[in-house]
């Protein structure tokens, strides 16, 4: 899944209103699990609502991420091919 | 009928913010019991719900997002579900946020326990125009799905019917499993089979559940393996399977477990929800644009904190006043019923004083938790922590640490209780241990007294502010230090849900605040009462000073002087009297002819009233001597006195009598205070104070200050009062200029004019040293162990000694 290793993109580097997919979480099991149970597991898709402070929208949930954690979440930018179709309904994986 | 009721154990579980507690409150009403889960400081709430023929014992489990616990709350929820085996589990699910909520559901399904899904917040779903096919969802999940609206009590009867049907086996239960894919399923099967072959081995839960927990690397389950007899073999098997999965998948298998669970949830949603294509109401997002704004977020938070503080202490103040008055009245009543002596002292000072000391905090606690409940239930608290996190993170603290710290400026008792809002147990402990450093309201009188006595008024504000600032700095430094040493540990990864904003229901808020208040009274109250009685005992024996006769003699001298003056006045008026049978006593110092001269008595009373009016005006309006208003008041006094002076000789006599009377009363009060001071010197408190004065010698505290500090252990307010008694002034408050003069004179004498430094050292010491008994009781309650109470006492007192010593050392450069 993490094929492009040349330029790793972190969640806190994305501009507001972009959609992304979580590809990797650096760091411990706790961080990964906490993200997963709150709706942001590896492979999930979400949207940046605000950058400062970092708020992410996953499905019907809004999550706030602290600075420390945000710098550990590796993401892939989703080029909005189906943006208009998915922007209203929550994005789902699979 | 009633005795035929069948008992059922029902547990409610679900994500935070999905209406779980509302459902619990609606089901159980007033029949609730709040306690603590054994061994942890997590609230346990249980209650009963009665329907025809059944009595449901309902347990409200702490909210959790998954059954892989990260916090003690979640651990409690899982342990209860896995080990206590309730008859039915109600999984309450936020229908407006199904995907995330079904993640927990997918894990509950693995446990193969009787399950009913309560699909809550259906009104929100309907308002959006979405449709959920609950029949279909029930088929997919293999258990009953009941749509409800907990806040409106909609269909709660239907929910209970389903629960009973499941408990009695009337609903057929289809076993549904998340399919984790070929690779993972094979490993699950291998481990399950091993467990089946070793029937005696059980880590809790179904075999499939155990296999998944082990393969996912659940630390608690792996730990349990260590304690098993055949653990080694199973451990090897699990490790081998884990490695196999990892090599097949090319990454950590737990990612796949999570992904499959979400895939399951997403699949269920696709088949059951018909979404309204129209745009959603984004109210919450709009509110968040303001409340979590990068610039406005902080001031808004500050404003709300200020409001919380104001409500807690300003609104609480009159109630506190009433409670104090009520107990004062009660004390008076008891004093009039019980004859003077040890029993009266125990009842009045010990028990009534003690219970009053406990109850006086209740209004504060109620108002504080009322505010916290509103902030929490509305959804703002999550934002607050997040807004503050930016700032607190730099200090090595958690965003939520801030709230208890602010509360701490008012009173440390509710501040320690407010630490409950922190999830991480180590963050919670750090907060509980450092919050006493925030200078509480009860310490202020001590500063005011000392600053007034030793420093020019122009510097007073700055010095007191400096003391407060010192407290904040120490709290931050200590928090960082503790977190880096004895409370070292994983910081919680900071990610939290920002729930949709709700208008909190009055019922939930009131219930919440009421339960907290009751909890405080029951648990902390008993400890505080006990401590108050002990401190009373320390000051109650012996009942008199070493040489009571000396004070009696002083009183008789006063009486004699007073009588002499009366005789002179009588002589001046040319009155005759007979002294033969007259022996004045302390209680009845007036010579008999006075009672016969009604005119003189009335006139004396009039003079007294005029003087009293004058002092009342000066005190109430805080008139400074030399000011215009003061002069006006003086003129008024003059006028009323002139009006009385029609009969000049009688008026002169009345003035003299009035002066003699007031001198006599003052003298008596001073003798009483001196006697009380002398008595305290030989009580256990006095001995402790004298012993401690050697320890405190380097800080410059004499035995009186040392004793007052010991008494301050009961409540910091007491320090000023005790100093008043020990310096023989009687009952005083912090603005008493008499006490200020006395202390200043004595401390300056002891240290050749260095009294100000002793005062400063004392202020620093009072800021830091042992919190009062009430705080210690709450610390015991919140941490569940005396160990942390002991630690608080030792570390705070040590710190106080060190910092006060340093203050003295640095200050002595100016001496």
């Amino acid at each position: 899944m993490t094929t492009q290793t040349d330029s790793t993109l972190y969640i806190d580097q994305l501009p507001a209103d972009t959609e992304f997919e979580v590809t990797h979480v650096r760091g411990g099991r706790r961080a990964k699990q906490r993200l997963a149970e709150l709706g942001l597991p590896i492979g999930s898709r979400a949207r940046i609502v605000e950058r400062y402070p970092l708020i992410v929208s996953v499905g019907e949930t809004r999550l706030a991420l602290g600075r420390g954690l945000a710098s550990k979440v590796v993401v892939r930018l989703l080029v909005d091919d189906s943006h208009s179709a998915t922007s209203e309904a929550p994005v789902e994986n699979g | 009928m009633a005795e035929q009721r069948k008992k059922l154990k029902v547990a409610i579980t679900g994500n935070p913010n999905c209406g779980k507690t509302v459902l619990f409150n609606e089901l159980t009403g007033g029949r609730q019991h709040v306690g603590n889960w054994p061994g942890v400081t997590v609230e346990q709430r249980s209650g009963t719900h009665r329907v025809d023929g059944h009595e449901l014992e309902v347990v409200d489990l702490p909210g959790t997002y998954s059954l892989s616990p990260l916090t003690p709350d979640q651990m409690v929820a899982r342990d209860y579900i896995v080990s206590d085996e309730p008859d039915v589990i109600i999984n309450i699910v936020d229908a407006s946020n199904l995907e995330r909520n079904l993640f927990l559901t997918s894990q509950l399904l693995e446990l193969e326990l009787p399950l009913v899904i309560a699909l809550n917040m259906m009104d929100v779903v309907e308002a959006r125009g979405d449709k959920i096919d609950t029949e279909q969802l029930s088929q997919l999940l293999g258990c009953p799905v009941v749509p409800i609206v907990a806040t409106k009590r909609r269909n709660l009867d239907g929910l209970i019917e389903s629960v009973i049907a499941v408990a009695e086996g009337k609903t057929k239960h289809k076993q549904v499993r998340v399919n984790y894919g070929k690779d993972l399923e094979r490993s699950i099967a291998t481990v399950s089979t091993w467990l089946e072959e070793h029937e005696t081995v059980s880590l809790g839960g179904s075999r499939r559940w155990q296999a998944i927990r082990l393969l996912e690397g659940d630390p608690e389950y792996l730990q349990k393996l260590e304690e098993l007899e055949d653990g080694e073999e199973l451990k090897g098997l699990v490790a081998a399977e884990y490695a196999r999965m990892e090599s097949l998948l090319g990454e950590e298998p737990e990612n796949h477990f999570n992904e499959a669970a979400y895939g399951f949830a997403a699949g269920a949603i696709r088949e059951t929800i018909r979404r309204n294509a129209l745009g959603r109401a984004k109210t919450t997002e709009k509110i968040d644009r303001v409340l979590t704004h990068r610039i406005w977020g902080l001031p808004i938070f500050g404003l709300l904190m200020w409001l919380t503080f104001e409500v807690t202490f300003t609104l609480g103040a009159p109630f506190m006043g009433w409670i104090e008055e009520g107990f004062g009245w009660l004390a008076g009543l008891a004093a009039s019923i019980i004859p003077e002596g040890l029993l009266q002292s125990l009842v009045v000072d010990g028990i009534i004083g003690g219970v009053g000391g406990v109850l006086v905090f209740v209004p504060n606690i109620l108002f504080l938790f009322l505010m916290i409940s509103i902030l929490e239930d509305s959804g703002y608290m999550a934002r607050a922590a997040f807004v503050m996190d930016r700032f607190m993170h730099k200090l090595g603290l958690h965003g939520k640490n801030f709230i208890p710290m602010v509360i701490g400026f008012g009173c440390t008792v509710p501040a320690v209780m407010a630490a409950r809002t922190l999830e991480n147990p180590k963050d919670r402990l750090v907060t509980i241990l450092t919050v006493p450093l925030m200078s509480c309201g009860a310490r202020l009188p001590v500063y005011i007294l000392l600053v007034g006595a030793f420093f020019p008024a122009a510097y007073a504000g700055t010095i007191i502010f400096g003391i407060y600032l010192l407290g904040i700095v120490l709290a931050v430094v200590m928090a960082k230090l503790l977190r880096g040493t004895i409370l070292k540990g994983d910081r919680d990864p900071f990610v939290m849900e920002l729930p949709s904003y709700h208008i909190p229901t009055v019922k939930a808020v009131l219930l919440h605040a009421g339960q907290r208040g009751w909890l405080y009274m029951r648990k902390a109250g008993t400890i505080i009462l006990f401590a108050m009685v002990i401190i009373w005992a320390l000051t109650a024996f012996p009942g008199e000073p070493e040489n009571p006769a000396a004070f009696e003699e002083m009183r008789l001298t006063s009486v004699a002087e007073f009588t002499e003056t009366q005789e002179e006045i009588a002589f001046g008026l040319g009155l005759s009297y007979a002294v033969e049978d007259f022996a004045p006593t302390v209680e009845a110092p007036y010579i008999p002819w006075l009672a016969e001269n009604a005119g003189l008595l009335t006139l004396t009373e009039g003079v007294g009233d005029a003087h009293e009016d004058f002092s009342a005006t000066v005190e109430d309006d805080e008139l400074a001597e030399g000011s215009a208003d003061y002069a006006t008041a003086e003129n008024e006094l003059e006028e009323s006195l002139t009006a009385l002076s029609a009969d000049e000789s009688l008026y002169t006599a009345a003035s003299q009598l009035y002066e003699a009377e007031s001198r006599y009363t003052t003298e008596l009060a001073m003798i009483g205070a001196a006697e009380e001071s002398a008595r305290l010197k030989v009580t256990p408190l006095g001995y402790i104070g004298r012993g401690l004065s050697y320890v405190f010698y380097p800080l410059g505290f004499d035995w009186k200050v040392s004793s007052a500090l010991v008494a301050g252990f009961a409540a910091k307010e007491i320090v000023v009062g005790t100093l008043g008694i020990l310096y023989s002034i009687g009952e005083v408050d912090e603005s008493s200029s008499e006490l200020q003069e006395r202390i200043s004179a004595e401390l300056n004498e002891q240290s050749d004019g260095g009294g100000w430094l002793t005062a400063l050292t004392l202020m620093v010491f009072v800021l830091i040293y042992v919190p009062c008994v009430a705080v210690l009781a709450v610390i015991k309650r919140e941490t569940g162990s005396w160990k942390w109470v002991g630690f608080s006492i030792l570390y705070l007192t040590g710190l106080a000694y060190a910092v006060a010593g340093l203050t003295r050392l640095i200050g002595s450069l100016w001496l």
Side-chain angles (χ1 to χ4, degrees):
Chain A
M1 277 195 160
T2 49
T3 41
Q4 316 112 302
T5 43
D6 46 315
S7 60
T8 318
L9 188 61
Y10 291 97
I11 198 169
D12 55 355
Q13 296 169 318
L14 296 177
D17 266 325
T18 43
E19 297 195 2
F20 63 89
E21 180 182 314
V22 180
T23 56
H24 182 63
V25 178
R26 293 196 304 123
R29 181 195 153 77
R30 286 168 69 86
K32 199 183 293 179
Q33 200 208 310
R34 190 91 179 127
L35 283 171
E37 63 184 36
L38 277 159
L40 214 58
I42 311 275
S44 62
R45 296 173 173 206
R47 180 172 61 89
I48 307 276
V49 176
E50 258 176 84
R51 290 196 61 188
Y52 300 105
L54 185 59
I55 299 178
V56 168
S57 160
V58 209
E60 301 292 339
T61 314
R62 275 165 313 281
L63 297 180
L65 272 75
R67 278 295 133 83
L69 186 61
S71 63
K72 287 180 186 156
V73 181
V74 184
V75 296
R76 181 168 70 86
L77 195 64
L78 293 178
V79 189
D80 65 8
D81 39 351
S82 57
H83 181 78
S84 51
T86 53
S87 61
E88 298 299 345
V91 269
E92 289 160 10
N93 60 329
Chain B
M1 273 285 281
E3 56 273 15
Q4 292 298 319
R5 284 205 173 104
K6 260 193 262 172
K7 291 202 178 201
L8 290 178
K9 253 198 322 191
V10 179
I12 308 181
T13 183
N15 286 185
N17 311 310
C18 69
K20 191 170 53 63
T21 301
V22 178
L23 174 65
F24 173 74
N25 287 340
E26 291 300 339
L27 285 183
T28 58
R31 292 178 301 278
Q32 290 187 10
H33 173 80
V34 183
N36 262 21
W37 293 93
V40 281
T41 52
V42 177
E43 260 171 39
Q44 181 191 40
R45 289 149 45 87
S46 57
T48 49
H49 177 83
R50 297 200 177 117
V51 278
D52 304 327
H54 291 89
E55 184 173 301
L56 275 57
E57 195 202 316
V58 188
V59 178
D60 182 19
L61 295 174
T64 180
Y65 293 106
S66 78
L67 293 178
S68 319
L70 289 174
T71 65
D73 304 42
Q74 297 175 358
M75 189 77 86
V76 161
R78 178 171 92 176
D79 284 354
Y80 187 86
I81 292 168
V82 173
S83 323
D84 279 50
E85 298 190 354
D87 295 312
V88 181
I89 298 166
I90 299 177
N91 176 204
I92 178 163
V93 161
D94 177 358
S96 67
N97 188 356
L98 258 187
E99 186 170 11
R100 219 270 319 286
N101 277 258
L102 286 181
F103 182 72
L104 174 66
T105 310
S106 73
Q107 292 190 327
L108 287 166
L109 290 174
E110 304 289 1
L111 277 166
E112 298 167 14
L113 292 171
L115 188 67
V116 173
I117 311 275
L119 206 54
N120 193 24
M121 306 202 186
M122 284 304 286
D123 49 342
V124 178
V125 175
E126 284 156 16
R128 279 183 194 159
D130 292 351
K131 291 226 158 50
I132 299 181
D133 183 347
T134 49
E135 268 310 304
Q136 177 75 3
L137 191 59
S138 169
Q139 288 288 319
L140 287 169
L141 299 177
C143 59
V145 173
V146 188
I148 62 165
V149 181
T151 48
K152 295 175 188 159
R153 298 192 57 92
R154 202 212 282 175
N155 203 22
L156 297 191
D157 295 340
L159 176 65
I160 295 302
E161 261 169 47
S162 280
V163 167
I164 292 170
V166 166
E168 293 180 340
K170 286 179 193 156
T171 309
K172 45 188 187 313
H173 211 266
K174 195 178 77 186
Q175 195 49 61
V176 171
R177 287 170 174 174
V178 176
N179 187 345
Y180 291 103
K182 192 167 84 256
D183 299 328
L184 298 187
E185 285 294 343
R186 191 168 352 133
S187 293
I188 295 171
T190 312
V191 177
S192 299
T193 313
W194 188 94
L195 286 167
E196 213 171 329
E197 285 161 1
H198 299 72
E199 266 178 47
T200 50
V201 177
S202 179
L203 307 167
S206 70
R207 291 200 182 96
R208 182 178 165 84
W209 161 261
Q210 294 175 53
I212 294 170
R213 295 324 306 158
L214 289 170
L215 290 168
E216 255 201 276
D218 186 307
E220 203 204 350
Y221 273 72
L222 290 175
Q223 181 62 39
K224 281 186 188 170
L225 270 190
E226 304 284 332
E227 295 146 22
L228 283 179
E229 235 174 83
D230 296 322
E232 273 311 305
E233 191 188 331
L234 183 53
K235 206 173 139 193
L237 182 71
V238 169
E241 287 299 322
Y242 188 90
R244 191 184 67 83
M245 292 188 296
E246 202 170 16
S247 73
L248 277 173
L249 301 166
E251 62 172 334
E252 291 105 323
E254 49 265 36
N255 298 350
H256 273 253
F257 280 106
N258 288 335
E259 219 174 306
Y262 272 103
F264 172 80
I269 288 168
R270 236 191 336 266
E271 293 189 37
T272 51
I273 300 192
R274 238 188 38 237
R275 288 189 202 276
N276 181 2
L278 292 172
R280 306 219 175 285
K282 299 262 181 186
T283 328
T284 291
E285 226 168 83
K286 273 183 205 147
I287 300 176
D288 266 341
R289 288 253 148 88
V290 180
L291 292 187
T292 64
H293 189 273
R294 55 187 299 201
I295 296 162
W296 298 118
L298 271 176
I300 291 173
F301 171 75
L303 198 73
L304 285 169
M305 276 303 105
W306 173 82
L307 198 70
T308 305
F309 191 87
E310 276 294 296
V311 166
T312 303
F313 296 104
T314 314
L315 248 49
F319 293 95
M320 288 177 93
W322 294 338
I323 291 176
E324 272 170 358
E325 264 171 44
F327 275 91
W329 175 82
L330 207 62
L333 185 74
S336 66
I337 295 173
I338 308 166
E340 206 168 312
L342 207 56
L343 183 68
Q344 190 201 63
S345 171
L346 172 66
V347 173
V348 173
D349 301 329
I351 296 174
I352 297 180
V355 175
V358 172
L359 291 184
V360 82
F361 290 115
V362 170
N364 280 164
I365 288 176
L366 284 181
F367 279 111
L368 170 72
F369 279 106
L370 207 67
M371 287 305 287
I372 288 190
S373 295
I374 293 172
L375 291 177
E376 264 179 353
D377 292 359
S378 66
Y380 180 74
M381 204 59 115
R383 275 86 179 174
F386 185 53
V387 165
M388 277 316 289
D389 192 59
R390 271 191 293 168
F391 171 70
M392 299 295 272
H393 197 81
K394 290 195 185 106
L395 301 175
L397 297 171
H398 196 283
K400 282 189 181 174
N401 282 80
F402 198 76
I403 293 151
M405 283 174 87
V406 172
I407 305 292
F409 284 127
C411 175
T412 317
V413 171
V416 169
M417 287 180 79
R420 280 169 176 241
T421 48
L422 290 155
E423 279 160 30
N424 183 314
K426 282 182 177 161
D427 279 334
R428 202 179 297 178
L429 254 177
V430 166
T431 307
I432 290 173
L433 293 175
T434 51
V435 135
L437 291 167
M438 311 305 285
S439 193
C440 72
R443 282 170 252 188
L444 189 59
V446 185
Y447 309 150
I448 293 178
L449 170 79
L450 292 170
V451 167
F454 291 96
F455 297 93
Y459 298 131
T462 317
I463 290 169
I464 294 181
F465 180 74
I467 296 283
Y468 272 78
L469 200 65
L470 176 67
I472 301 171
V473 170
L474 284 173
V476 170
V477 170
M478 287 317 291
K480 231 177 161 162
L481 207 68
L482 288 170
R483 204 68 175 85
T485 53
I486 56 168
L487 291 172
K488 207 173 187 157
D490 281 345
R491 211 147 259 302
D492 264 356
F494 194 97
V495 49
M496 59 197 305
E497 188 184 359
L498 298 181
S500 298
Y501 286 103
H502 296 288
I503 293 173
T505 65
V506 176
K507 188 175 175 184
V509 168
L510 289 181
L511 256 172
H512 209 61
Q515 283 167 346
R516 255 58 182 286
W518 175 234
L519 208 65
Y520 159 78
M521 275 193 275
R522 235 183 40 216
K523 291 294 178 58
T526 44
I527 303 178
I528 297 171
L529 181 59
F530 185 64
M532 289 292 205
V533 172
I534 289 184
I535 292 195
W536 166 82
L538 283 181
T539 56
F541 304 98
E544 51 183 28
E546 267 173 334
N547 49 347
F551 295 98
E552 203 47 41
E553 213 166 284
M554 283 161 78
R555 283 199 188 90
L556 289 178
T557 314
S558 277
V559 175
E561 274 171 20
F562 184 40
T563 322
E564 212 170 290
T565 318
Q566 291 178 62
E567 281 171 6
E568 275 167 26
I569 294 168
F571 187 73
L573 286 173
L575 290 166
S576 63
Y577 55 95
V579 280
E580 284 84 44
D581 341 308
F582 176 57
T585 62
V586 176
E587 289 78 27
Y590 296 98
I591 46 182
W593 56 260
L594 254 177
E596 284 148 32
N597 195 324
L600 177 63
L601 282 187
T602 321
L603 199 53
T604 311
E605 229 168 77
V607 173
D609 285 348
H611 279 280
E612 251 167 54
D613 281 350
F614 171 69
S615 1
T617 316
V618 169
E619 217 166 275
D620 289 351
D621 303 344
E622 291 175 13
L623 302 181
E625 230 168 301
S627 73
D629 286 338
Y630 190 87
T632 318
E634 264 181 330
N635 277 340
E636 268 170 35
L637 173 64
E638 252 352 281
E639 272 168 36
S640 23
L641 289 181
T642 321
L644 293 171
S645 60
D647 181 340
E648 205 175 314
S649 61
L650 197 61
Y651 171 71
T652 317
S655 305
Q656 284 170 345
L657 185 56
Y658 166 72
E659 259 167 51
E661 240 180 348
S662 25
R663 193 166 52 238
Y664 173 66
T665 335
T666 318
E667 265 176 24
L668 270 195
M670 280 174 68
I671 296 167
E675 187 177 19
E676 182 65 4
S677 173
R679 187 187 71 76
L680 276 177
K681 194 170 182 175
V682 290
T683 60
L685 181 72
Y687 281 108
I688 295 172
R690 276 187 276 171
L692 280 179
S693 66
Y694 295 104
V695 181
F696 285 137
Y697 179 74
L699 301 182
F701 303 162
D702 62 2
W703 78 268
K704 294 175 181 175
V705 173
S706 305
S707 303
L709 287 174
V710 174
F713 190 56
K716 299 260 165 118
E717 297 94 315
I718 297 178
V719 172
V720 170
T722 313
L723 281 174
I725 295 170
L726 290 172
Y727 282 102
S728 310
I729 314 231
E731 285 200 4
V732 291
D733 61 26
E734 68 275 12
S735 53
S736 157
S737 53
E738 223 175 321
L739 178 57
Q740 290 182 342
E741 277 162 29
R742 202 56 162 266
I743 287 188
S744 141
E746 242 180 84
L747 289 185
N748 272 326
E749 193 182 314
Q750 284 167 17
S751 56
D752 297 326
W756 65 270
L757 185 55
T758 309
L760 197 65
T761 315
L762 182 56
M763 282 193 269
V764 170
F765 196 85
V766 167
L767 165 73
I768 309 170
Y769 92 114
V770 215
C772 69
V773 167
V775 172
L776 294 177
V778 186
I779 292 180
K780 159 72 177 71
R781 223 206 80 68
E782 295 296 305
T783 60
S785 109
W786 287 108
K787 192 183 82 182
W788 289 114
V789 176
F791 181 80
S792 297
I793 297 175
L794 289 180
Y795 116 85
L796 286 170
T797 311
L799 187 69
Y801 198 89
V803 179
L806 204 65
T807 309
R808 193 167 182 82
L809 202 68
I810 296 170
S812 62
L813 297 175
W814 278 271
L815 272 186

